[in-house]
Amino acid sequence: MTILPTFDMLLFGGTGDLVTRKLLPALYRRFVAGQVSAESRIFGVARSNLTRAAYTAQAQTACSQFLGKEFAAKQWDGFSRLLDYVSLDAGAEKDYAALAALLADREAVVRVFFFSTASNLFAVICQNLAKAKVVTPLSRVVLEKPLGHDTVSANLINEQVGAVFAEKQIYRIDHYLGKETVQNLMALRFGNALFEPLWRRGLIKHVQITVAEELGVERRGNFYDKTGAMRDMVQNHLLQLLCIMAMEPPASSDADAVRDEKLKVLRALRPLRDRDVLTKTVRGQYKAGAVRGVPVPGYLQESDIASDSSTETFVALKVDIDTWRWAGVPFYLRTGKRLQDRVTELVVTFEEVPHPIFDMPNTTHTANELVIRLQPDESITLTILAKNPGEGMRLKPVSLALDLGETFKTRSLDAYERLLMDTVKGNLTLFMRRDELDAAWAWIDPIRAGWQQYDEGPKIYIAGTWGPASSSAMLSRDGFAWHDEL
Ligand code: BG6
Protein backbone atom coordinates (compact mmCIF):
# COMPACT_ATOMS: atom_id res chain seq x y z
CA MET A 1 0.00 0.00 0.00
CA THR A 2 1.44 3.33 -1.00
CA ILE A 3 1.08 6.43 1.15
CA LEU A 4 -0.65 9.09 -0.84
CA PRO A 5 0.92 12.46 -1.50
CA THR A 6 -0.12 14.98 1.13
CA PHE A 7 -3.40 16.62 0.13
CA ASP A 8 -5.93 19.26 1.08
CA MET A 9 -9.43 18.07 0.27
CA LEU A 10 -12.32 20.50 0.29
CA LEU A 11 -15.71 18.85 0.43
CA PHE A 12 -18.34 21.32 -0.76
CA GLY A 13 -21.78 20.30 0.46
CA GLY A 14 -19.89 19.25 3.58
CA THR A 15 -22.97 18.75 5.76
CA GLY A 16 -24.87 16.80 3.09
CA ASP A 17 -25.71 13.15 2.85
CA LEU A 18 -22.99 12.12 0.43
CA VAL A 19 -20.19 13.72 2.42
CA THR A 20 -21.25 12.47 5.81
CA ARG A 21 -22.44 9.00 4.76
CA LYS A 22 -19.95 8.14 2.03
CA LEU A 23 -16.97 10.46 1.62
CA LEU A 24 -15.91 10.88 5.24
CA PRO A 25 -16.24 7.17 6.03
CA ALA A 26 -14.23 6.42 2.88
CA LEU A 27 -11.48 8.83 3.94
CA TYR A 28 -11.53 7.44 7.48
CA ARG A 29 -11.00 3.92 6.12
CA ARG A 30 -8.04 5.03 4.02
CA PHE A 31 -6.65 6.81 7.07
CA VAL A 32 -6.96 3.64 9.15
CA ALA A 33 -5.29 1.72 6.32
CA GLY A 34 -2.32 4.06 6.72
CA GLN A 35 -2.62 5.69 3.32
CA VAL A 36 -3.27 9.25 4.41
CA SER A 37 -0.32 11.30 5.60
CA ALA A 38 -0.63 13.16 8.91
CA GLU A 39 -0.03 16.46 7.08
CA SER A 40 -3.13 16.01 4.91
CA ARG A 41 -6.24 18.04 5.67
CA ILE A 42 -9.92 17.56 4.99
CA PHE A 43 -12.37 20.46 5.10
CA GLY A 44 -16.13 20.24 5.18
CA VAL A 45 -17.39 23.31 3.33
CA ALA A 46 -21.01 24.37 3.71
CA ARG A 47 -23.27 27.27 4.53
CA SER A 48 -24.20 26.40 8.12
CA ASN A 49 -22.42 28.32 10.77
CA LEU A 50 -20.60 25.52 12.56
CA THR A 51 -17.46 25.42 14.64
CA ARG A 52 -14.78 22.89 13.86
CA ALA A 53 -15.73 20.97 17.01
CA ALA A 54 -19.41 20.89 16.08
CA TYR A 55 -18.63 19.67 12.57
CA THR A 56 -16.26 17.01 13.81
CA ALA A 57 -18.88 15.81 16.29
CA GLN A 58 -21.50 15.68 13.52
CA ALA A 59 -19.10 13.76 11.29
CA GLN A 60 -18.29 11.35 14.09
CA THR A 61 -21.95 10.49 14.65
CA ALA A 62 -22.51 9.87 10.94
CA CYS A 63 -19.32 7.86 10.47
CA SER A 64 -19.79 5.67 13.53
CA GLN A 65 -23.30 4.89 12.38
CA PHE A 66 -22.21 4.14 8.85
CA LEU A 67 -19.08 2.18 9.75
CA GLY A 68 -20.54 0.13 12.60
CA LYS A 69 -17.91 -2.21 14.03
CA GLU A 70 -15.20 -0.74 11.84
CA PHE A 71 -15.38 2.51 13.76
CA ALA A 72 -12.77 2.83 16.51
CA ALA A 73 -12.68 5.82 18.83
CA LYS A 74 -8.88 5.83 18.98
CA GLN A 75 -8.46 5.89 15.22
CA TRP A 76 -11.18 8.50 14.95
CA ASP A 77 -9.14 10.70 17.26
CA GLY A 78 -6.26 10.66 14.79
CA PHE A 79 -8.53 11.13 11.80
CA SER A 80 -10.45 14.01 13.34
CA ARG A 81 -7.20 15.94 13.70
CA LEU A 82 -7.16 16.21 9.91
CA LEU A 83 -10.75 17.48 9.83
CA ASP A 84 -11.79 21.11 9.73
CA TYR A 85 -14.79 23.14 8.68
CA VAL A 86 -15.27 26.26 6.56
CA SER A 87 -18.55 28.11 6.61
CA LEU A 88 -19.11 29.56 3.16
CA ASP A 89 -22.01 30.66 1.00
CA ALA A 90 -21.11 29.32 -2.44
CA GLY A 91 -22.39 32.48 -4.14
CA ALA A 92 -20.70 35.00 -1.79
CA GLU A 93 -17.34 36.03 -3.18
CA LYS A 94 -16.20 37.51 0.14
CA ASP A 95 -16.59 34.17 1.94
CA TYR A 96 -13.78 32.68 -0.13
CA ALA A 97 -11.17 34.87 1.58
CA ALA A 98 -11.26 32.57 4.62
CA LEU A 99 -10.71 29.60 2.36
CA ALA A 100 -7.78 31.27 0.64
CA ALA A 101 -6.22 32.06 4.02
CA LEU A 102 -6.42 28.40 5.04
CA LEU A 103 -4.80 27.29 1.81
CA ALA A 104 -2.03 29.89 1.75
CA ASP A 105 1.49 28.41 1.62
CA ARG A 106 0.18 25.01 0.58
CA GLU A 107 0.62 25.42 -3.19
CA ALA A 108 2.94 22.43 -3.33
CA VAL A 109 0.26 20.17 -1.90
CA VAL A 110 -2.34 18.32 -3.99
CA ARG A 111 -5.62 20.20 -3.71
CA VAL A 112 -8.93 18.46 -4.36
CA PHE A 113 -12.17 20.43 -4.63
CA PHE A 114 -15.02 17.95 -4.37
CA PHE A 115 -18.37 19.45 -5.40
CA SER A 116 -21.11 17.52 -3.72
CA THR A 117 -23.69 20.25 -4.24
CA ALA A 118 -26.47 20.81 -6.77
CA SER A 119 -24.82 21.15 -10.17
CA ASN A 120 -26.27 24.63 -10.72
CA LEU A 121 -23.74 25.83 -8.11
CA PHE A 122 -20.70 24.41 -9.87
CA ALA A 123 -20.15 27.46 -12.07
CA VAL A 124 -20.34 30.03 -9.33
CA ILE A 125 -18.08 28.01 -7.03
CA CYS A 126 -15.51 27.73 -9.84
CA GLN A 127 -15.64 31.45 -10.56
CA ASN A 128 -15.21 32.31 -6.91
CA LEU A 129 -12.34 29.86 -6.49
CA ALA A 130 -10.62 31.46 -9.46
CA LYS A 131 -11.16 34.96 -8.11
CA ALA A 132 -9.77 33.88 -4.73
CA LYS A 133 -6.74 32.54 -6.63
CA VAL A 134 -6.83 29.15 -4.96
CA VAL A 135 -6.76 27.03 -8.12
CA THR A 136 -3.17 25.84 -8.38
CA PRO A 137 -1.53 23.58 -11.00
CA LEU A 138 -1.86 20.72 -8.49
CA SER A 139 -5.60 21.33 -8.07
CA ARG A 140 -8.33 18.95 -9.19
CA VAL A 141 -12.07 19.33 -9.17
CA VAL A 142 -14.41 16.40 -8.62
CA LEU A 143 -17.93 16.74 -9.98
CA GLU A 144 -20.74 14.60 -8.63
CA LYS A 145 -23.46 13.46 -10.98
CA PRO A 146 -25.90 14.36 -12.38
CA LEU A 147 -24.05 16.86 -14.50
CA GLY A 148 -26.93 18.90 -15.85
CA HIS A 149 -30.26 17.49 -16.95
CA ASP A 150 -29.77 17.35 -20.72
CA THR A 151 -27.19 18.08 -23.41
CA VAL A 152 -27.59 21.84 -23.26
CA SER A 153 -27.35 22.19 -19.48
CA ALA A 154 -24.45 19.70 -19.26
CA ASN A 155 -22.62 21.67 -21.94
CA LEU A 156 -23.03 24.87 -20.05
CA ILE A 157 -21.66 23.36 -16.83
CA ASN A 158 -18.72 21.85 -18.68
CA GLU A 159 -17.95 25.20 -20.31
CA GLN A 160 -18.11 27.03 -17.02
CA VAL A 161 -16.02 24.54 -15.09
CA GLY A 162 -13.68 24.29 -18.07
CA ALA A 163 -13.05 28.04 -17.93
CA VAL A 164 -11.29 27.53 -14.59
CA PHE A 165 -9.98 23.94 -14.65
CA ALA A 166 -8.24 22.17 -17.54
CA GLU A 167 -9.90 18.92 -18.70
CA LYS A 168 -7.13 16.89 -17.08
CA GLN A 169 -7.99 18.50 -13.75
CA ILE A 170 -11.69 17.56 -13.99
CA TYR A 171 -12.84 14.30 -12.36
CA ARG A 172 -16.46 13.50 -13.29
CA ILE A 173 -17.51 10.85 -10.87
CA ASP A 174 -19.61 7.82 -11.65
CA HIS A 175 -19.24 5.77 -8.51
CA TYR A 176 -20.19 2.56 -10.35
CA LEU A 177 -16.84 2.71 -12.11
CA GLY A 178 -15.17 2.52 -8.71
CA LYS A 179 -16.87 -0.72 -7.73
CA GLU A 180 -14.54 -3.68 -7.37
CA THR A 181 -16.42 -5.97 -9.71
CA VAL A 182 -16.46 -3.40 -12.50
CA GLN A 183 -12.69 -3.52 -12.30
CA ASN A 184 -12.95 -7.27 -12.24
CA LEU A 185 -14.94 -7.22 -15.43
CA MET A 186 -11.99 -5.43 -17.03
CA ALA A 187 -9.65 -8.02 -15.51
CA LEU A 188 -11.81 -10.83 -16.85
CA ARG A 189 -12.02 -9.38 -20.34
CA PHE A 190 -8.53 -8.00 -20.76
CA GLY A 191 -6.45 -10.14 -18.40
CA ASN A 192 -7.55 -13.46 -19.89
CA ALA A 193 -7.28 -14.44 -23.52
CA LEU A 194 -10.06 -16.97 -23.00
CA PHE A 195 -13.11 -14.75 -23.29
CA GLU A 196 -12.05 -12.36 -26.01
CA PRO A 197 -12.76 -14.68 -28.97
CA LEU A 198 -16.21 -15.38 -27.53
CA TRP A 199 -17.07 -11.77 -26.86
CA ARG A 200 -18.99 -11.01 -30.03
CA ARG A 201 -21.95 -11.57 -32.29
CA GLY A 202 -22.41 -15.14 -33.42
CA LEU A 203 -21.36 -16.43 -29.98
CA ILE A 204 -23.26 -14.12 -27.67
CA LYS A 205 -27.04 -14.04 -28.03
CA HIS A 206 -27.84 -11.14 -25.77
CA VAL A 207 -26.60 -9.21 -22.77
CA GLN A 208 -28.57 -7.99 -19.78
CA ILE A 209 -27.62 -5.29 -17.31
CA THR A 210 -29.80 -4.94 -14.23
CA VAL A 211 -29.38 -2.43 -11.44
CA ALA A 212 -32.30 -3.13 -9.12
CA GLU A 213 -32.89 -1.39 -5.82
CA GLU A 214 -35.22 -2.21 -2.97
CA LEU A 215 -35.05 1.32 -1.64
CA GLY A 216 -37.49 4.00 -2.67
CA VAL A 217 -36.63 7.67 -3.07
CA GLU A 218 -35.84 8.03 0.65
CA ARG A 219 -35.37 11.69 1.59
CA ARG A 220 -34.46 12.77 -1.92
CA GLY A 221 -37.98 13.37 -3.24
CA ASN A 222 -37.25 16.93 -4.34
CA PHE A 223 -34.26 15.91 -6.39
CA TYR A 224 -35.67 12.64 -7.66
CA ASP A 225 -38.99 14.00 -8.88
CA LYS A 226 -37.14 16.38 -11.18
CA THR A 227 -34.70 13.71 -12.28
CA GLY A 228 -36.22 10.24 -12.70
CA ALA A 229 -34.51 6.89 -13.23
CA MET A 230 -33.38 7.67 -16.78
CA ARG A 231 -31.22 10.60 -15.71
CA ASP A 232 -30.41 9.34 -12.22
CA MET A 233 -29.21 5.88 -13.25
CA VAL A 234 -29.28 5.10 -16.98
CA GLN A 235 -27.47 8.18 -18.30
CA ASN A 236 -24.48 7.39 -16.11
CA HIS A 237 -24.24 4.08 -14.21
CA LEU A 238 -25.95 1.78 -16.71
CA LEU A 239 -24.34 3.31 -19.77
CA GLN A 240 -20.93 3.10 -18.14
CA LEU A 241 -21.45 -0.58 -17.32
CA LEU A 242 -22.56 -1.11 -20.89
CA CYS A 243 -19.38 0.57 -22.13
CA ILE A 244 -17.13 -1.67 -20.06
CA MET A 245 -19.00 -4.75 -21.31
CA ALA A 246 -18.99 -3.74 -24.94
CA MET A 247 -15.80 -1.78 -25.54
CA GLU A 248 -12.92 -2.97 -27.69
CA PRO A 249 -9.73 -3.93 -25.85
CA PRO A 250 -7.87 -0.66 -25.24
CA ALA A 251 -4.22 -0.43 -26.30
CA SER A 252 -3.19 0.21 -22.69
CA SER A 253 -4.75 0.81 -19.31
CA ASP A 254 -4.08 4.55 -19.55
CA ALA A 255 -7.01 6.81 -18.79
CA ASP A 256 -7.38 8.08 -22.32
CA ALA A 257 -6.89 4.72 -23.99
CA VAL A 258 -9.77 3.32 -21.90
CA ARG A 259 -11.94 6.39 -22.30
CA ASP A 260 -11.42 6.48 -26.08
CA GLU A 261 -12.83 2.96 -26.34
CA LYS A 262 -15.79 3.70 -24.09
CA LEU A 263 -16.55 6.76 -26.16
CA LYS A 264 -16.69 4.66 -29.34
CA VAL A 265 -19.37 2.49 -27.74
CA LEU A 266 -21.45 5.49 -26.71
CA ARG A 267 -21.21 6.91 -30.19
CA ALA A 268 -22.25 3.59 -31.72
CA LEU A 269 -25.47 3.29 -29.71
CA ARG A 270 -28.32 3.22 -32.17
CA PRO A 271 -30.52 6.25 -31.46
CA LEU A 272 -33.98 5.52 -30.09
CA ARG A 273 -36.19 8.12 -31.62
CA ASP A 274 -39.89 8.93 -31.83
CA ARG A 275 -41.99 5.75 -31.88
CA ASP A 276 -38.99 3.55 -31.03
CA VAL A 277 -39.77 4.43 -27.44
CA LEU A 278 -42.98 2.40 -27.65
CA THR A 279 -41.26 -0.87 -28.53
CA LYS A 280 -37.77 -0.49 -27.12
CA THR A 281 -38.33 1.32 -23.85
CA VAL A 282 -40.52 0.80 -20.82
CA ARG A 283 -40.88 3.33 -18.08
CA GLY A 284 -42.64 2.62 -14.85
CA GLN A 285 -43.62 4.10 -11.52
CA TYR A 286 -44.22 2.13 -8.34
CA LYS A 287 -47.41 2.11 -6.39
CA ALA A 288 -47.83 0.92 -2.82
CA GLY A 289 -46.82 -2.66 -2.17
CA ALA A 290 -44.48 -4.61 0.07
CA VAL A 291 -40.74 -5.13 -0.14
CA ARG A 292 -39.58 -8.26 1.70
CA GLY A 293 -42.95 -8.38 3.43
CA VAL A 294 -42.76 -4.80 4.71
CA PRO A 295 -45.52 -2.53 3.38
CA VAL A 296 -44.20 0.54 1.57
CA PRO A 297 -46.03 3.57 0.16
CA GLY A 298 -46.38 4.30 -3.54
CA TYR A 299 -44.16 6.86 -5.28
CA LEU A 300 -46.92 9.47 -5.32
CA GLN A 301 -47.30 9.17 -1.56
CA GLU A 302 -43.60 9.71 -0.83
CA SER A 303 -42.65 13.09 0.65
CA ASP A 304 -41.78 15.95 -1.72
CA ILE A 305 -43.32 14.20 -4.74
CA ALA A 306 -45.99 16.01 -6.79
CA SER A 307 -49.29 14.16 -6.42
CA ASP A 308 -49.70 13.94 -10.20
CA SER A 309 -46.01 13.26 -10.94
CA SER A 310 -45.20 11.28 -14.06
CA THR A 311 -41.54 10.80 -13.12
CA GLU A 312 -40.30 7.29 -13.87
CA THR A 313 -38.87 5.14 -11.09
CA PHE A 314 -38.18 2.24 -13.46
CA VAL A 315 -36.70 2.02 -16.95
CA ALA A 316 -36.07 -0.94 -19.24
CA LEU A 317 -34.44 -0.50 -22.62
CA LYS A 318 -33.46 -2.56 -25.61
CA VAL A 319 -30.23 -1.16 -26.95
CA ASP A 320 -28.44 -1.92 -30.20
CA ILE A 321 -24.78 -1.17 -30.72
CA ASP A 322 -24.01 -0.56 -34.36
CA THR A 323 -20.56 -2.10 -34.71
CA TRP A 324 -19.17 -5.22 -36.36
CA ARG A 325 -18.71 -6.84 -32.98
CA TRP A 326 -22.24 -6.28 -31.73
CA ALA A 327 -24.50 -6.10 -34.79
CA GLY A 328 -27.68 -8.03 -34.02
CA VAL A 329 -26.87 -8.62 -30.31
CA PRO A 330 -29.42 -6.83 -28.14
CA PHE A 331 -28.33 -5.31 -24.82
CA TYR A 332 -31.24 -5.14 -22.38
CA LEU A 333 -30.87 -2.56 -19.63
CA ARG A 334 -33.09 -2.31 -16.58
CA THR A 335 -33.10 -0.27 -13.40
CA GLY A 336 -35.71 0.64 -10.83
CA LYS A 337 -36.51 1.58 -7.29
CA ARG A 338 -38.66 -0.51 -4.95
CA LEU A 339 -38.02 -3.70 -6.86
CA GLN A 340 -38.07 -7.18 -5.42
CA ASP A 341 -34.39 -7.46 -4.66
CA ARG A 342 -31.27 -5.35 -4.47
CA VAL A 343 -29.11 -6.73 -7.21
CA THR A 344 -26.69 -5.38 -9.78
CA GLU A 345 -25.64 -7.90 -12.36
CA LEU A 346 -24.49 -8.30 -15.91
CA VAL A 347 -25.60 -11.42 -17.71
CA VAL A 348 -24.06 -12.63 -20.94
CA THR A 349 -26.05 -15.36 -22.64
CA PHE A 350 -24.10 -17.40 -25.16
CA GLU A 351 -25.45 -19.17 -28.22
CA GLU A 352 -26.57 -22.76 -28.05
CA VAL A 353 -24.61 -25.55 -29.72
CA PRO A 354 -25.30 -25.50 -33.46
CA HIS A 355 -26.09 -29.22 -33.65
CA PRO A 356 -27.13 -30.97 -30.41
CA ILE A 357 -26.10 -34.59 -30.21
CA PHE A 358 -27.46 -35.18 -26.69
CA ASP A 359 -30.91 -34.74 -25.25
CA MET A 360 -30.75 -31.16 -24.15
CA PRO A 361 -32.63 -30.15 -21.00
CA ASN A 362 -35.90 -28.60 -21.90
CA THR A 363 -35.31 -25.32 -20.09
CA THR A 364 -34.38 -21.82 -21.06
CA HIS A 365 -31.07 -22.51 -19.27
CA THR A 366 -29.85 -24.45 -22.26
CA ALA A 367 -27.46 -21.71 -23.24
CA ASN A 368 -24.23 -21.00 -21.40
CA GLU A 369 -24.42 -17.94 -19.26
CA LEU A 370 -21.86 -15.73 -17.62
CA VAL A 371 -23.22 -13.77 -14.67
CA ILE A 372 -21.12 -11.00 -13.23
CA ARG A 373 -22.63 -9.81 -10.01
CA LEU A 374 -21.64 -6.52 -8.42
CA GLN A 375 -24.16 -6.37 -5.62
CA PRO A 376 -25.07 -7.44 -2.99
CA ASP A 377 -22.23 -9.97 -3.21
CA GLU A 378 -19.41 -9.93 -5.75
CA SER A 379 -19.22 -13.02 -7.86
CA ILE A 380 -18.64 -14.36 -11.33
CA THR A 381 -20.55 -17.46 -12.39
CA LEU A 382 -20.39 -19.42 -15.60
CA THR A 383 -23.18 -21.86 -16.30
CA ILE A 384 -22.33 -24.91 -18.33
CA LEU A 385 -24.15 -28.10 -19.12
CA ALA A 386 -22.78 -31.19 -17.40
CA LYS A 387 -23.83 -34.81 -17.47
CA ASN A 388 -26.30 -35.78 -14.83
CA PRO A 389 -24.75 -38.67 -12.85
CA GLY A 390 -26.09 -42.10 -13.59
CA GLU A 391 -27.23 -43.90 -16.62
CA GLY A 392 -27.74 -42.26 -19.99
CA MET A 393 -26.56 -38.90 -21.32
CA ARG A 394 -28.79 -36.40 -19.65
CA LEU A 395 -27.40 -32.91 -19.38
CA LYS A 396 -28.02 -30.46 -16.62
CA PRO A 397 -26.98 -26.83 -16.11
CA VAL A 398 -24.37 -26.41 -13.36
CA SER A 399 -22.35 -23.43 -12.19
CA LEU A 400 -18.66 -22.70 -12.08
CA ALA A 401 -18.87 -20.08 -9.41
CA LEU A 402 -16.28 -17.63 -8.14
CA ASP A 403 -17.23 -15.81 -4.96
CA LEU A 404 -14.77 -12.95 -4.88
CA GLY A 405 -15.26 -12.14 -1.19
CA GLU A 406 -14.68 -15.78 -0.22
CA THR A 407 -11.69 -16.18 -2.55
CA PHE A 408 -9.75 -13.12 -1.52
CA LYS A 409 -11.01 -13.06 2.09
CA THR A 410 -10.67 -9.36 2.26
CA ARG A 411 -13.04 -6.45 2.27
CA SER A 412 -13.02 -4.84 -1.14
CA LEU A 413 -12.63 -1.09 -1.29
CA ASP A 414 -15.81 0.92 -1.31
CA ALA A 415 -16.19 2.74 -4.65
CA TYR A 416 -15.61 6.13 -3.04
CA GLU A 417 -12.45 4.98 -1.27
CA ARG A 418 -10.95 4.04 -4.60
CA LEU A 419 -12.19 7.10 -6.46
CA LEU A 420 -11.13 9.61 -3.81
CA MET A 421 -7.66 8.11 -3.73
CA ASP A 422 -7.52 8.25 -7.51
CA THR A 423 -8.24 11.97 -7.43
CA VAL A 424 -5.29 12.46 -5.07
CA LYS A 425 -3.04 10.25 -7.20
CA GLY A 426 -4.16 12.00 -10.37
CA ASN A 427 -5.53 8.90 -12.07
CA LEU A 428 -8.40 9.74 -14.41
CA THR A 429 -9.12 6.24 -15.74
CA LEU A 430 -12.30 5.73 -13.72
CA PHE A 431 -13.75 9.16 -14.40
CA MET A 432 -15.82 10.34 -17.34
CA ARG A 433 -14.28 12.58 -19.93
CA ARG A 434 -16.34 15.43 -21.28
CA ASP A 435 -16.92 13.84 -24.69
CA GLU A 436 -18.27 10.69 -23.01
CA LEU A 437 -20.75 12.74 -21.09
CA ASP A 438 -21.79 14.60 -24.24
CA ALA A 439 -22.31 11.33 -26.10
CA ALA A 440 -24.37 9.88 -23.24
CA TRP A 441 -26.68 12.88 -23.12
CA ALA A 442 -26.98 12.94 -26.92
CA TRP A 443 -28.35 9.40 -26.74
CA ILE A 444 -30.64 10.00 -23.73
CA ASP A 445 -32.29 13.26 -24.87
CA PRO A 446 -34.25 11.83 -27.86
CA ILE A 447 -35.65 9.05 -25.67
CA ARG A 448 -37.01 11.51 -23.20
CA ALA A 449 -38.37 13.63 -26.05
CA GLY A 450 -40.02 10.50 -27.53
CA TRP A 451 -41.68 9.79 -24.18
CA GLN A 452 -43.08 13.30 -24.08
CA GLN A 453 -44.52 12.95 -27.54
CA TYR A 454 -45.68 9.36 -27.92
CA ASP A 455 -45.82 7.63 -24.57
CA GLU A 456 -48.86 7.85 -22.32
CA GLY A 457 -46.84 8.01 -19.14
CA PRO A 458 -45.15 5.53 -16.85
CA LYS A 459 -46.68 2.09 -16.41
CA ILE A 460 -47.62 1.36 -12.85
CA TYR A 461 -45.92 -1.50 -11.01
CA ILE A 462 -46.42 -2.75 -7.50
CA ALA A 463 -43.55 -2.07 -5.13
CA GLY A 464 -41.68 -5.28 -4.40
CA THR A 465 -42.06 -6.74 -7.90
CA TRP A 466 -39.72 -6.69 -10.90
CA GLY A 467 -41.40 -3.70 -12.55
CA PRO A 468 -44.20 -3.36 -15.11
CA ALA A 469 -45.31 -6.43 -17.05
CA SER A 470 -44.34 -4.69 -20.29
CA SER A 471 -40.70 -4.99 -19.26
CA SER A 472 -40.94 -8.79 -19.43
CA ALA A 473 -43.04 -8.53 -22.59
CA MET A 474 -40.29 -6.53 -24.32
CA LEU A 475 -37.91 -9.47 -23.92
CA SER A 476 -40.41 -12.20 -24.60
CA ARG A 477 -41.17 -10.62 -27.99
CA ASP A 478 -37.54 -11.46 -28.82
CA GLY A 479 -37.85 -14.95 -27.33
CA PHE A 480 -35.88 -14.07 -24.18
CA ALA A 481 -36.58 -13.48 -20.49
CA TRP A 482 -34.92 -11.47 -17.75
CA HIS A 483 -32.44 -13.54 -15.83
CA ASP A 484 -34.52 -13.61 -12.64
CA GLU A 485 -37.52 -14.90 -14.58
CA LEU A 486 -35.81 -18.03 -15.79
C1 BG6 B 1 -26.93 7.04 -7.14
C2 BG6 B 1 -28.37 7.39 -7.41
O1 BG6 B 1 -26.09 7.56 -8.12
O2 BG6 B 1 -26.78 5.62 -7.11
C3 BG6 B 1 -29.29 6.77 -6.37
O3 BG6 B 1 -28.52 8.81 -7.40
C4 BG6 B 1 -29.04 5.28 -6.27
O4 BG6 B 1 -30.65 7.02 -6.69
C5 BG6 B 1 -27.54 5.00 -6.09
O5 BG6 B 1 -29.76 4.80 -5.15
C6 BG6 B 1 -27.26 3.51 -6.14
O6 BG6 B 1 -25.92 3.29 -5.80
P1 BG6 B 1 -25.44 1.92 -5.12
O7 BG6 B 1 -23.96 2.06 -5.05
O8 BG6 B 1 -26.10 1.88 -3.78
O9 BG6 B 1 -25.90 0.84 -6.02
Side-chain angles (χ1 to χ4, degrees):
M1 174 128 8
T2 47
I3 296 205
L4 295 163
T6 294
F7 62 85
D8 284 338
M9 192 173 286
L10 296 107
L11 306 171
F12 286 76
T15 50
D17 227 38
L18 184 76
V19 172
T20 50
R21 287 189 47 246
K22 293 277 188 184
L23 305 187
L24 290 176
L27 290 163
Y28 169 82
R29 279 172 163 165
R30 290 298 89 210
F31 172 80
V32 172
Q35 251 194 310
V36 179
S37 72
E39 294 74 39
S40 294
R41 303 184 306 175
I42 299 159
F43 298 91
V45 183
R47 213 155 55 168
S48 322
N49 204 1
L50 290 177
T51 60
R52 174 168 188 252
Y55 184 68
T56 313
Q58 200 170 309
Q60 176 171 359
T61 311
C63 285
S64 59
Q65 202 178 348
F66 182 84
L67 291 161
K69 280 200 225 103
E70 265 182 77
F71 183 87
K74 195 154 167 251
Q75 301 277 23
W76 177 264
D77 234 33
F79 178 71
S80 66
R81 273 184 228 130
L82 314 185
L83 264 187
D84 204 345
Y85 181 76
V86 185
S87 163
L88 169 151
D89 175 348
E93 194 183 327
K94 62 172 179 32
D95 287 4
Y96 287 72
L99 196 72
L102 285 168
L103 296 173
D105 302 329
R106 299 266 293 181
E107 278 81 11
V109 166
V110 169
R111 197 169 282 179
V112 181
F113 299 101
F114 193 118
F115 294 176
S116 167
T117 64
S119 61
N120 57 6
L121 291 178
F122 291 178
V124 70
I125 301 177
C126 282
Q127 285 153 11
N128 284 328
L129 291 176
K131 285 188 197 148
K133 299 198 172 29
V134 292
V135 180
T136 55
L138 277 181
S139 289
R140 286 113 217 227
V141 64
V142 188
L143 308 179
E144 250 307 321
K145 65 163 264 288
L147 269 188
H149 49 88
D150 59 9
T151 301
V152 176
S153 53
N155 243 328
L156 187 65
I157 294 171
N158 279 321
E159 287 298 321
Q160 290 164 327
V161 174
V164 175
F165 292 91
E167 180 64 27
K168 66 174 182 5
Q169 295 178 294
I170 303 178
Y171 291 67
R172 296 180 189 82
I173 259 195
D174 183 316
H175 78 277
Y176 267 60
L177 289 180
K179 292 189 188 262
E180 188 79 6
T181 319
V182 174
Q183 315 256 284
N184 248 314
L185 174 56
M186 303 243 260
L188 184 82
R189 287 199 58 200
F190 308 129
N192 299 283
L194 182 67
F195 290 102
E196 176 51 25
L198 309 177
W199 215 254
R200 61 191 62 248
R201 71 189 297 269
L203 292 156
I204 290 180
K205 256 208 242 185
H206 60 94
V207 177
Q208 296 181 9
I209 302 179
T210 294
V211 182
E213 296 185 90
E214 287 175 15
L215 291 178
V217 292
E218 305 302 292
R219 288 174 296 146
R220 299 159 77 222
N222 261 326
F223 158 79
Y224 196 86
D225 209 31
K226 288 191 236 89
T227 308
M230 190 67 156
R231 296 190 283 202
D232 186 40
M233 298 294 287
V234 179
Q235 188 269 346
N236 32 75
H237 305 326
L238 277 94
L239 285 186
Q240 287 294 320
L241 293 177
L242 170 86
C243 284
I244 308 271
M245 278 298 282
M247 72 192 205
E248 294 298 317
S252 75
S253 61
D254 284 356
D256 277 330
V258 173
R259 301 193 296 178
D260 285 347
E261 295 307 334
K262 288 199 291 156
L263 178 65
K264 287 184 205 158
V265 175
L266 291 167
R267 288 191 173 153
L269 299 179
R270 187 178 305 164
L272 295 175
R273 294 191 197 288
D274 306 329
R275 290 182 179 280
D276 286 343
V277 297
L278 300 177
T279 50
K280 295 185 174 181
T281 78
V282 174
R283 58 173 171 155
Q285 188 187 78
Y286 61 86
K287 69 173 191 178
V291 177
R292 294 192 185 273
V294 179
V296 293
Y299 179 69
L300 298 181
Q301 287 83 53
E302 303 270 20
S303 46
D304 300 322
I305 303 297
S307 57
D308 59 348
S309 171
S310 62
T311 298
E312 77 286 353
T313 60
F314 174 96
V315 180
L317 302 165
K318 177 179 175 181
V319 182
D320 292 292
I321 305 175
D322 287 330
T323 59
W324 274 35
R325 186 186 284 270
W326 295 120
V329 180
F331 281 66
Y332 299 102
L333 272 47
R334 172 177 64 157
T335 185
K337 296 222 178 263
R338 287 284 190 235
L339 297 183
Q340 192 168 318
D341 232 338
R342 174 176 183 244
V343 60
T344 299
E345 66 182 15
L346 306 137
V347 181
V348 180
T349 302
F350 293 95
E351 289 288 354
E352 274 131 42
V353 291
H355 171 64
I357 58 167
F358 306 117
D359 276 347
M360 299 303 250
N362 192 16
T363 73
T364 25
H365 260 305
T366 313
N368 300 131
E369 258 178 12
L370 179 68
V371 181
I372 299 152
R373 192 177 255 242
L374 280 70
Q375 295 173 159
D377 45 327
E378 296 179 325
S379 63
I380 300 177
T381 307
L382 181 64
T383 317
I384 58 162
L385 290 182
K387 181 187 167 297
N388 213 19
E391 225 185 301
M393 266 312 268
R394 280 182 302 117
L395 303 193
K396 192 179 170 209
V398 289
S399 297
L400 303 176
L402 168 66
D403 178 329
L404 291 156
E406 197 41 45
T407 303
F408 291 108
K409 299 224 180 328
T410 171
R411 176 184 74 80
S412 52
L413 291 190
D414 174 74
Y416 278 105
E417 286 177 77
R418 171 173 295 111
L419 295 174
L420 283 171
M421 296 307 96
D422 279 354
T423 63
V424 175
K425 288 185 213 154
N427 183 356
L428 279 157
T429 313
L430 299 175
F431 297 84
M432 285 192 283
R433 207 168 54 191
R434 178 173 177 179
D435 46 10
E436 285 181 78
L437 191 80
D438 291 345
W441 277 123
W443 189 74
I444 295 286
D445 283 352
I447 302 177
R448 300 194 62 256
W451 281 347
Q452 295 307 323
Q453 206 173 345
Y454 298 101
D455 193 19
E456 298 146 3
K459 308 266 183 305
I460 298 305
Y461 62 97
I462 300 171
T465 64
W466 282 109
S470 36
S471 149
S472 308
M474 183 171 77
L475 270 72
S476 62
R477 281 198 297 275
D478 295 342
F480 305 137
W482 290 108
H483 187 232
D484 51 82
E485 292 172 343
L486 291 175

